[in-house]
């Protein structure tokens, strides 16, 4: 059974970089795409981007200029970096595993990130 | 981006009622449409994939339909545990979600 666990700071200052890691257990990262999805307070879900085990990544055009998603060399985790954050980036950040038809069956529990000085 | 529009934004129904939620895509997405249920404070749970395929373990009272630009999620016999928000998501191109439908009893 694949398990995903997000980790990282819960508080980030405006203009700084939000950095999160998703640890993957129970499955090889060398398959499928692996995504980051976020949910702002009281809002819906927004796909941030995803990465393949080769390192190839694709991003939401609305965030692409500020986002980098990469796979750890150990192939047991992948990470998110979101630069120049503002309070609008506050919310719950989830990692998830993409399936071939693009649905998200497996999700991490999510981690709350607040952007505030 | 492909925009996803759900209706209604919210609904209130009684236990045992049949409920229909609709999702419309701004461009044709064939059958690349998925439905999720999210209870307050919980992780989204995949209900339906590829427009009409029930995810393993999901009760059969959930039914998905449609193709192209218009899709539906039907709950036949609403149960108390079905409260929460329902989201559609297209996977035809860069993934986008609908804004959600809040279901109350």
């Amino acid at each position: 059974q694949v398990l995903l666990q997000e980790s990282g700071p819960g508080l980030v200052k405006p203009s700084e970089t939000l950095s999160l890691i998703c640890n993957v257990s129970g499955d090889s990262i060398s398959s499928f795409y692996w995504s980051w999805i976020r949910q702002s307070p009281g809002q819906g879900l927004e796909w941030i981007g995803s990465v393949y085990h080769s390192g190839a990544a694709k991003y939401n055009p609305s965030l692409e200029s500020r986002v980098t998603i990469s796979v750890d060399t150990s192939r047991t985790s992948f990470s998110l970096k979101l630069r120049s954050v503002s309070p609008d980036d506050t919310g719950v950040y989830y990692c998830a595993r993409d399936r071939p038809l693009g649905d998200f069956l497996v999700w991490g529990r999510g981690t709350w990130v607040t952007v505030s000085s | 981006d492909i925009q996803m529009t759900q209706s209604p934004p919210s609904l209130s129904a009684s236990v045992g009622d049949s409920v229909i939620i609709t999702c419309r895509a701004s461009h044709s997405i064939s059958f690349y449409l998925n439905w999720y249920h999210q209870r307050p404070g919980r992780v989204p749970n995949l209900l339906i994939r590829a427009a009409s395929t029930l995810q393993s373990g999901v009760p059969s009272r959930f039914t998905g339909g449609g193709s192209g630009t218009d899709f539906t999620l039907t709950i036949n016999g609403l149960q108390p545990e079905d409260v929460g928000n329902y989201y559609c998501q297209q996977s035809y191109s860069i993934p986008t979600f609908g804004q959600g439908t809040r279901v109350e009893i």
Side-chain angles (χ1 to χ4, degrees), chain A residues 5 7 14 19 27 29 35 37 43 48-49 55 57 78 86-87 90-92 98 105 107 109:
Chain A
Q5 178 66 59
S7 63
S19 296
D27 191 13
I29 206 166
S35 280
I37 298 165
Q43 300 300 311
I48 299 170
F78 60 104
S86 73
T90 293
V92 180
D98 299 34
L105 175 61
W107 298 63
R109 295 177 64 178

Side-chain angles (χ1 to χ4, degrees), chain A residues 21-99:
Chain A
I21 292 173
C22 180
N23 287 294
V24 179
S25 60
D27 191 13
S28 170
I29 206 166
S30 299
S31 60
F32 304 113
Y33 274 86
W34 303 86
S35 280
W36 287 98
I37 298 165
R38 71 180 182 179
Q39 187 167 32
S40 302
Q43 300 300 311
L45 298 157
E46 180 179 34
W47 178 80
I48 299 170
S50 63
V51 65
Y52 196 54
H53 68 87
S54 64
K58 48 187 179 179
Y59 302 117
N60 188 322
S62 68
L63 297 168
E64 187 168 13
S65 63
R66 299 194 289 131
V67 174
T68 301
I69 298 176
S70 58
V71 174
D72 183 83
T73 53
S74 68
R75 295 290 192 268
T76 60
S77 67
F78 60 104
S79 65
L80 167 70
K81 292 188 185 301
L82 180 63
R83 297 174 291 277
S84 304
V85 298
S86 73
D88 289 343
D89 295 311
T90 293
V92 180
Y93 285 73
Y94 298 98
C95 57
R97 189 182 73 178
D98 299 34
R99 294 208 295 181

Side-chain angles (χ1 to χ4, degrees), chain B residues 18-90:
Chain B
S18 287
V19 167
I20 298 176
I21 299 169
T22 66
C23 180
R24 173 164 289 176
S26 60
H27 303 284
S28 177
I29 57 171
S30 184
F31 62 89
Y32 292 89
L33 191 285
N34 311 299
W35 288 97
Y36 301 84
H37 174 219
Q38 185 179 34
R39 297 187 180 94
R42 304 291 295 274
V43 178
N45 181 49
L46 178 67
L47 300 173
I48 303 282
R49 58 184 177 90
S52 60
T53 301
L54 190 69
Q55 175 59 33
S56 176
V58 174
S60 58
R61 63 179 179 272
F62 292 93
T63 305
S67 66
T69 60
D70 294 300
F71 301 85
T72 58
L73 173 69
T74 302
I75 309 173
N76 285 307
L78 189 68
Q79 297 299 305
E81 59 266 32
D82 298 337
V83 299
N85 289 292
Y86 289 81
Y87 296 96
C88 61
Q89 174 239 333
Q90 64 82 16

